[in-house]
Amino acid sequence: MEPDTLLSPNVRRLLTCMIATGLAVLWLFDLVGLSSASDKTWPSWLPLLSFGTLTALALLLPDRRPGLGIRAGVAAVGSLVLTSVQLRLSPLDSTWGLLETVALLGLLLRTTRRMRRPVAAAALSAALGVAVIALPLRVGTGYDVVTFSFILTFAVGGTVGLGCYLRLLDARRVRAMDAVRQNERKELARDLHDFVAHHVTGIIVHANAGLMIQESSPEQIKPLLEGISRAGSETLDSMRRLVRVLREEDHHGARPAEMLTELERLVSAFSEDGTETQLDIADPVRAVRLAPEVETSVHRVVQEALTNVRRHAPGADVAVRLGLDRRTGGDLLWVEVPNTAPAVRSTLPTGGRGGFGLVGLRERVEAVEGALTSGRTPDGGWCVTATFPVLEPVA
């Protein structure tokens, strides 16, 4: 997962506006500094009004096309070429812009953090670092210039160190999310073993019954064969959805065909500490048929949502609602778990931050061909919503 995807669109837009505002302020500082310089020929104006602005735009653009590697490479090479040209033509009383310096450092940070190939990241980071350190050479080669270059060396080193640290945090988060997904798949596989065993047992029972009555009651063979066909199809559907999952360790979870009973127990246990919790199950839901793995996934969604409420929104009122949606052309079971704003403000926002519970939950729901969404409600609470497919009714 890309780091930017961990932030909401509003937060990303706010950060982009703040960075753009800061770069605009630096551009104004450059204008003020340039107005006091006696040399106002093109070597002084070009870095400020053209290349510095282009470098800032390269920093603000999202990582799409052109890619970050191309933009960083062009910025580094262009800055070095411009420094060489300015040093040769008019090194005295010239200037280098704060906007270009900060933009190059920003590109250095993003390159160190985001470039996937380590070799390319190292090469581009080195080029950007040299370009930043060489910027003071545009005003000459005296003692003061060397001092500024030495100071910029620390800025480059700090930027590279910060980028490497953020890169390490991103890698750790990706590994943690992969581990959560893998654990969820293993848990689904454990459930699948029990469900397949249940269906196969029914198939064997129907087949043995057919053998026993094939001579005495041949008219009852057809319903038995239809039951065998239906059980076999549902078993193959479950195996097709979860074919890549491996089973490990023993598992104790919600049993098939007892979903509503398990939900009632779960909600009742959650409300024992005085939290007001409501369970609202629409009447059509009680007659609906669900695949066994869908039943346990519904139980898991409610369990995870209630756990997050207890952890991140203590004292909030919770509602668990189940209904049937027929507007999509086919029946869909929807599960909604909203909660109000917490009575006591938590250090974490409602719904959590940086955790992996919803990541694994989404993995489980999508594995059974469902969908999961979550987000803040207008009253400051949180809501988790999931939809699941429904099986055809049996005549």
Side-chain angles (χ1 to χ4, degrees):
M1 178 180 290
E2 292 295 331
D4 283 348
T5 61
L6 304 176
L7 302 176
S8 66
N10 292 333
V11 174
R12 290 200 298 269
R13 285 193 290 267
L14 178 61
L15 289 177
T16 302
C17 292
M18 292 175 62
I19 294 174
T21 302
L23 294 177
V25 172
L26 293 177
W27 187 76
L28 293 177
F29 274 113
D30 287 340
L31 282 180
V32 173
L34 184 62
S35 63
S36 62
S38 59
D39 178 19
K40 296 181 175 61
T41 58
W42 70 269
S44 295
W45 285 87
L46 184 61
L48 179 62
L49 299 181
S50 60
F51 192 76
T53 305
L54 293 177
T55 307
L57 290 176
L59 174 63
L60 293 175
L61 288 176
D63 291 345
R64 295 173 184 170
R65 291 186 178 182
L68 175 60
I70 296 177
R71 284 179 285 144
V74 171
V77 173
S79 178
L80 289 172
V81 170
L82 197 58
T83 299
S84 300
V85 172
Q86 195 166 356
L87 178 62
R88 178 179 295 272
L89 294 180
S90 180
L92 298 178
D93 201 19
S94 183
T95 183
W96 84 89
L98 289 175
L99 176 63
E100 182 180 352
T101 304
V102 173
L104 287 175
L105 288 174
L107 284 174
L108 175 60
L109 177 63
R110 295 183 68 181
T111 301
T112 308
R113 180 184 184 184
R114 302 283 183 82
M115 288 295 295
R116 295 184 178 181
R117 292 180 296 177
V119 176
L124 289 174
S125 297
L128 288 169
V130 172
V132 173
I133 295 173
L135 284 176
L137 296 178
R138 295 181 183 180
V139 299
T141 57
Y143 177 79
D144 292 338
V145 172
V146 175
T147 302
F148 280 119
S149 295
F150 182 72
I151 295 175
L152 288 176
T153 302
F154 287 97
V156 170
T159 303
V160 172
L162 178 59
C164 292
Y165 175 70
L166 295 176
R167 187 186 187 97
L168 178 62
L169 292 182
D170 294 339
R172 287 180 178 176
R173 184 176 182 86
V174 169
R175 288 195 296 268
M177 294 178 66
D178 290 340
V180 169
R181 292 191 177 100
Q182 186 63 24
N183 290 335
E184 199 64 40
R185 291 170 184 151
K186 291 177 181 179
E187 186 173 352
L188 281 169
R190 290 191 289 265
D191 293 339
L192 177 63
H193 173 271
D194 299 332
F195 302 152
V196 171
H198 171 75
H199 283 300
V200 171
T201 301
I203 292 173
I204 295 174
V205 171
H206 281 74
N208 290 335
L211 291 174
M212 294 177 62
I213 66 173
Q214 60 179 341
E215 296 181 358
S216 60
S217 302
E219 70 279 0
Q220 297 183 14
I221 296 296
K222 182 179 179 180
L224 291 175
L225 292 177
E226 291 176 348
I228 292 174
S229 176
R230 183 173 59 253
S233 298
E234 292 177 359
T235 303
L236 289 176
D237 289 340
S238 298
M239 294 179 65
R240 185 188 70 248
R241 285 190 287 260
L242 308 173
V243 68
R244 294 182 181 272
V245 187
L246 301 176
R247 183 174 189 265
E248 292 182 7
E249 300 179 359
D250 294 332
H251 172 64
H252 303 281
R255 291 169 290 180
E258 296 184 0
M259 180 189 71
L260 299 182
T261 303
E262 293 293 336
L263 290 182
E264 291 175 356
R265 294 175 182 172
L266 186 63
V267 172
S268 177
F270 181 81
S271 58
E272 288 180 354
D273 60 352
T275 303
E276 183 176 349
T277 309
Q278 297 179 352
L279 177 61
D280 184 9
I281 302 175
D283 291 336
V285 175
R286 300 185 181 277
V288 80
R289 290 182 65 241
L290 299 174
E293 66 272 15
V294 172
E295 292 187 3
T296 57
S297 297
V298 172
H299 181 275
R300 182 61 181 271
V301 167
V302 176
Q303 183 181 47
E304 181 67 26
L306 293 179
T307 300
N308 285 339
V309 172
R310 188 184 300 277
R311 183 181 304 165
H312 304 299
D317 296 336
V318 190
V320 179
R321 306 188 185 104
L322 281 76
L324 210 57
D325 186 3
R326 294 188 172 94
R327 294 174 298 176
T328 56
D331 289 347
L332 285 177
L333 173 70
W334 56 264
V335 182
E336 186 180 64
V337 186
N339 64 269
T340 61
V344 179
R345 181 60 58 182
S346 176
T347 56
L348 292 177
T350 306
R353 180 184 63 196
F356 303 107
L358 290 178
V359 175
L361 196 62
R362 183 172 290 106
E363 183 77 16
R364 166 182 279 269
V365 172
E366 292 178 354
V368 297
E369 300 180 359
L372 178 75
T373 58
S374 62
R376 191 176 297 277
T377 58
D379 63 351
W382 193 264
C383 183
V384 176
T385 305
T387 57
F388 298 92
V390 175
L391 295 179
E392 293 290 337
V394 177

